[in-house]
Amino acid sequence: MTGTDSTGAGTDLRRDVLTTLLPGFEGLDAPDWVLELLRDGLGGVCIFGPNIESPEQLRALNASLRAANPLAVIAIDEEGGDVTRLFYDRGAPFPGNAVLGRIDDVELTARVARAVGEALAATGCTVTFAPDVDVNANPDNPVIGIRSFGADPELVARHSAAWTTALQQTGVAASAKHFPGHGDTATDSHLALPVVDVPLATLRERELVPFRAAIAAGSRTIMTSHILIPELDPENPATLSPQILNSLLRGELGFDGVIVTDALDMKGASGVHGIPEAAVRALAAGCDLLCIGTDNSAEEMAEIVAAVENAIATGRLPEARVRESAARVRALAEDSVPVPAGPALPASIEPRHDTEEIGRVIGSFEVTDAARERLARSTRVGTVVRVDAVANIAVGVAPWGPFAAEDVSESPSWLGGAETVAVSAHRGLVDPAALQGTVLVVGKDLHRHEFARAAIDALRAVRDDVVTIDMGWPSNDRAYADVSTFGASRLLGEAVIEFVDDVLRAAVATS
């Protein structure tokens, strides 16, 4: 069905199939195969961190994409926190969802979302896969955690609505994710298929509450999750489930925008079927725009198009279903802001934060009295134990926490004056007693990593000057979190540096 008949219907159908696809690619410039497919009708591309060198380069890249197809969707995974693409080389200058939820000021949340949208619009991006509206019901969640506004559905709902509304006022489309809720999982869907085995009543009272709010706020797109919910569909993950997408999302929740898949190269979607078959099943289930992956190829795209066309030809996939999706994607693209012309970029790409803003972030930290007392005993930090766990794929290798802040700082801090010792699953502490004090242990989700717990236990067994700073989502008992920041963006790193400086300065003043 890839040829052209007397009516051109074959070519038109291929164009519609291409319109539903959103691949990624390697490099700072669009490969020829991407530009060729865009000219043939490819729906758009997804931009990732390695595709970005600078805002100016990204804007030029996006201009080349839109020149090839003026209706190209240019999507990016910019959540304004630990998950960042625009600031992948230096960490995001935003607090992230969990901190915004803890501060619980919807006007602040709206300001952050608006700043994210303005930065993306200035570079020519048209859709961001945010906000994350999952309710983080499980503190051991390996993939959501601080990407969530919190564990209270109503709190998550009001901040999801505020973020969605403010972002879309900049002309960038939102994508509330990961439907119908990835917050109560203990498995990373990048690596396997998580199962959320909860009653429907729990799903409606918890997971669906923020999605209802985002839809009411006008979210242009909703992103699906690769999770299995037996109470809704015991066989198919949400991305491949007609019951979840048609009956629940389209029917019960009334969403009429674009349903976009999470990346189909994730094991939760394609681990059993492979990407081409997963694409067919996702379209048949009701998805409109298929996020394929991070570094796709012309050959892979040809296989996907062939699989979809074959499914249409054999009656497995209704042609009308594909045309419906293509029409929705084009309608989304038609409302996109144009790529700005000229070399100048607004200062909003890199917002600056005053002392009051940093103070609000510090005020959201949970700090034990024991942590303050241990820090106050000394006028300096002797050792920083940096806990390097394997980052989940959504976060990637973006710089994080005080280490990101130190890299871009123009003035020295306690971090620069302390010895830094890295520990990981492959490298433990040699002699905890020999470290220069005071010892700060800095990591993310410390309780989830056996090697991190072992290092902290070893330190605590021989020292009384250890302070643990957890920049992820801590366990409920806070056993390994003397200080909990609920995020590790660069802004959070700046706040941690300032927090420790404040305590040390106070200790010097009273000594």
Side-chain angles (χ1 to χ4, degrees):
M1 300 192 61
T2 58
T4 304
D5 58 25
S6 60
T7 65
T11 301
D12 288 346
L13 180 57
R14 181 176 185 273
R15 191 172 188 86
D16 281 345
V17 172
L18 284 171
T19 300
T20 69
L21 304 182
L22 191 77
F25 58 87
E26 290 185 329
L28 301 177
D29 298 303
D32 289 341
W33 67 264
V34 168
L35 297 176
E36 182 178 348
L37 287 179
L38 283 169
R39 287 189 283 269
D40 288 345
L42 183 69
V45 300
C46 189
I47 301 294
F48 292 90
N51 298 128
I52 302 172
E53 184 178 61
S54 67
E56 292 83 358
Q57 170 268 328
L58 176 60
R59 186 156 74 176
L61 167 62
N62 289 343
S64 73
L65 299 172
R66 294 293 284 274
N69 180 358
L71 290 182
V73 171
I74 302 177
I76 191 168
D77 226 353
E78 181 57 60
E79 295 180 8
D82 281 35
V83 175
T84 183
R85 303 293 179 253
L86 188 56
F87 304 95
Y88 195 67
D89 63 330
R90 58 197 186 278
F94 304 109
N97 283 3
V99 170
L100 292 173
R102 289 179 60 76
I103 294 173
D104 198 12
D105 178 350
V106 292
E107 292 183 2
L108 174 62
T109 295
R111 287 201 300 274
V112 169
R114 196 171 294 113
V116 171
E118 289 170 352
L120 293 177
T123 64
C125 294
T126 65
V127 176
T128 184
F129 293 141
D132 187 313
V133 307
D134 298 307
V135 178
N136 198 61
N138 186 347
D140 293 331
N141 196 316
V143 69
I144 303 301
I146 50 79
R147 300 166 66 189
S148 165
F149 288 110
D152 174 12
E154 294 298 334
L155 179 146
V156 175
R158 60 178 173 268
H159 288 277
S160 297
W163 214 100
T164 298
T165 299
L167 174 86
Q168 294 193 154
Q169 287 171 346
T170 69
V172 176
S175 188
K177 63 185 184 185
H178 306 79
F179 188 82
H182 210 313
D184 192 14
T185 57
T187 302
D188 186 342
S189 53
H190 293 88
L191 308 175
L193 177 61
V195 178
V196 179
D197 197 2
V198 298
L200 292 181
T202 300
L203 192 75
R204 289 190 172 96
E205 294 167 3
R206 189 177 65 186
E207 274 75 11
L208 297 185
V209 172
F211 284 101
R212 291 184 186 277
I215 290 169
S219 184
R220 299 293 308 281
T221 81
I222 299 284
M223 175 176 276
T224 65
S225 62
H226 309 322
I227 61 174
L228 191 70
I229 303 178
E231 287 290 323
L232 290 173
D233 188 333
E235 297 180 358
N236 301 298
T239 300
L240 311 181
S241 172
Q243 294 93 320
I244 292 175
L245 301 185
N246 290 324
S247 299
L248 182 60
L249 181 54
R250 294 284 190 209
E252 183 175 327
L253 272 63
F255 180 65
D256 60 3
V258 172
I259 299 177
V260 58
T261 71
D262 207 343
L264 293 183
D265 63 353
M266 295 164 61
K267 297 300 182 183
S270 58
V272 174
H273 308 292
I275 295 176
E277 176 64 14
V280 170
R281 292 177 179 237
L283 286 169
C287 294
D288 301 308
L289 186 58
L290 313 185
C291 183
I292 308 300
T294 57
D295 55 351
N296 304 118
S297 66
E299 294 74 20
E300 186 175 29
M301 296 302 293
E303 291 178 5
I304 293 170
V305 171
V308 173
E309 290 180 330
N310 183 65
I312 294 171
T314 58
R316 291 183 57 212
L317 175 62
E319 180 178 321
R321 171 80 277 282
V322 176
R323 294 198 184 280
E324 176 187 40
S325 289
R328 285 199 184 101
V329 173
R330 290 186 188 114
L332 173 69
E334 285 169 356
D335 290 338
S336 299
V337 293
V339 180
L345 287 172
S348 60
I349 290 290
E350 185 72 45
R352 297 188 177 277
H353 304 280
D354 58 27
T355 302
E356 180 182 353
E357 290 173 310
I358 294 291
R360 294 190 78 183
V361 171
I362 294 173
S364 73
F365 294 174
E366 279 189 14
V367 184
T368 65
D369 291 339
R372 291 185 186 276
E373 189 273 331
R374 290 181 200 126
L375 285 172
R377 282 189 222 150
S378 174
T379 57
R380 62 182 293 269
V381 175
T383 305
V384 175
V385 176
R386 171 176 172 151
V387 179
D388 287 326
V390 176
N392 72 60
I393 294 173
V395 173
V397 296
W400 60 277
F403 313 105
E406 186 75 6
D407 285 345
V408 301
S409 176
E410 297 178 357
S411 58
S413 73
W414 53 265
L415 182 59
E419 179 184 7
T420 298
V421 177
V423 299
S424 68
H426 307 291
R427 179 171 55 188
L429 291 174
V430 176
D431 187 358
L435 299 179
Q436 297 294 313
T438 298
V439 177
L440 296 190
V441 181
V442 185
K444 296 185 279 186
D445 301 340
L446 293 172
H447 71 285
R448 292 201 303 107
H449 307 290
E450 183 178 358
F451 78 89
R453 298 194 304 270
I456 294 168
D457 290 342
L459 284 164
R460 287 173 171 174
V462 296
R463 318 181 61 103
D464 65 354
D465 61 351
V466 178
V467 176
T468 59
I469 301 179
D470 193 332
M471 303 198 73
W473 192 286
S475 60
N476 288 337
D477 62 9
R478 308 296 196 260
Y480 291 93
D482 299 323
V483 179
S484 303
T485 68
F486 293 87
S489 69
R490 172 161 48 94
L491 176 60
L492 268 291
E494 293 173 6
V496 164
I497 290 174
E498 185 64 26
F499 162 72
V500 175
D501 274 346
D502 286 347
V503 177
L504 296 179
R505 281 194 294 264
V508 170
T510 58
S511 62

